């Protein structure tokens, strides 16, 4: 099975702390590397995670609050100093494009590569990126500014070859791709060999949903149904539910309700308020509703 990993670079909220960096993650899928959000210190965390800067092909920004995007210009500048030549794609709310262009003119003139901006409509559920192995889809969220999450969904792969059967029927190597794609085989004697005798089922397609800053949305689970891994903000515990409502954030219990209703396989809590020295309170709260819950922390690598 090809690698599908989520690297937590930062999982704190807006107030800086000595414990957590602001929001940033890396999604690694089939040798492709994508970044989600880019708070301050993201490139320092890239170094600490030993993720090669040159492999990051795109950045997906959830919304335009500083703790999710203040690290962008430093990252773009560093790419230039490293001699990058491949385009760097930025997916973000449309309002960010003139700001990004202005900042690049001031701080990043003469880059040796192109920064390609892709405006995102945060109010619509839509595929914004697609290649042969995956799609990235927006998840409309409800925050104080336009905001969306992102759903990384692996495409279904081909079946696995049964080497013993290939050898038994003397099928040439040139035909293996056709067999993987579902073709049957006809022997020299005219016998037709069904594909399911020559192959084993493909690995199940995997999915990861990143739900950035949002108030509790009772209908959100319908867009997350059955995902393998869900990251959901959990800024507060249940005793601060009114504060969460005022600032359009979620409690750990509310994140767990979304995970339970969506029937996801695993939940990761993040975006912790600076008020918590020990987030185990949030973990315990969530696990009473959705037991398969873990806390994010810097340096955590999660296999999807």
């Amino acid at each position: 099975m090809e690698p599908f990993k989520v690297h937590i670079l930062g999982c704190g909220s807006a107030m800086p702390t000595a414990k957590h960096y602001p929001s940033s993650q890396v999604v690694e899928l089939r040798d492709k590397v994508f970044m989600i959000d880019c708070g301050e210190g993201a490139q320092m965390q890239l170094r600490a995670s030993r993720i090669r800067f040159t492999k990051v092909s795109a950045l997906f920004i959830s919304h335009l609050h500083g703790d999710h995007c203040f690290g962008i210009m430093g990252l773009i500048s560093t790419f230039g100093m490293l001699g990058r030549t491949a385009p760097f794609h930025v997916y973000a709310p449309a309002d960010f494009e003139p700001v990004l262009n202005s900042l690049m003119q001031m701080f990043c003139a003469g880059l040796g590569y192109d920064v390609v901006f892709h405006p995102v409509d945060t109010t619509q559920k839509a595929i914004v990126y697609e290649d042969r192995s995956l799609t990235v889809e927006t998840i409309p969220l409800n925050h104080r500014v336009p905001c969306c999450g992102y759903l990384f969904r692996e495409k279904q792969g081909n079946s696995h070859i049964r080497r013993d059967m290939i050898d038994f029927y003397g099928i040439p190597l040139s035909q293996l791709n056709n067999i993987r794609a579902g073709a049957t085989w006809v022997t020299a004697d005219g016998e037709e060999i069904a594909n399911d005798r020559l192959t084993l089922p493909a690995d199940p397609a995997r999915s990861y949903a990143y739900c950035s800053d949002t108030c509790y949305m009772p209908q959100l689970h319908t867009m997350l149904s059955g995902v393998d891994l869900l990251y959901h903000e959990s800024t507060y515990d249940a005793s601060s539910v009114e504060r969460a409502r005022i600032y359009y954030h979620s409690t750990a219990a509310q994140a767990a309700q979304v995970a339970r209703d969506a029937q996801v396989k695993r939940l990761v809590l993040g975006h912790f308020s600076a008020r918590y020295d020990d987030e185990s309170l949030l973990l315990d709260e969530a696990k009473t509703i959705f037991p398969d819950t873990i806390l994010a922390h810097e340096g955590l690598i999660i296999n999807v």
Side-chain angles (χ1 to χ4, degrees), residues 208-258:
Y208 170 60
Y210 172 85
C211 287
S212 175
D213 300 19
T214 184
C215 65
Y216 174 61
M217 299 171 60
Q219 76 282 12
L220 179 58
H221 71 275
T222 62
M223 293 182 280
L224 306 172
S225 180
V227 301
D228 293 283
L229 180 66
L230 168 63
Y231 176 96
H232 194 294
E233 76 121 287
S234 53
T235 308
Y236 300 110
D237 72 285
S239 70
S240 297
V241 65
E242 181 61 19
R243 179 179 289 270
R245 185 190 66 81
I246 292 171
Y247 293 105
Y248 286 75
H249 284 295
S250 297
T251 67
Q254 290 170 336
Q257 290 172 39
V258 173

Side-chain angles (χ1 to χ4, degrees), residues 156-197:
Q156 184 66 60
N158 289 328
S159 301
H160 297 290
I161 291 292
R162 285 191 59 181
R163 177 59 62 179
D164 59 334
M165 299 302 287
I166 297 300
D167 293 342
F168 179 80
Y169 287 107
I171 299 174
L173 295 179
S174 62
Q175 297 302 308
L176 294 191
N177 284 338
N178 292 333
I179 300 297
R180 288 189 186 95
T184 58
W185 175 251
V186 179
T187 68
D189 297 331
E191 181 186 2
E192 183 172 324
I193 310 302
N195 183 265
D196 60 8
R197 293 180 60 188

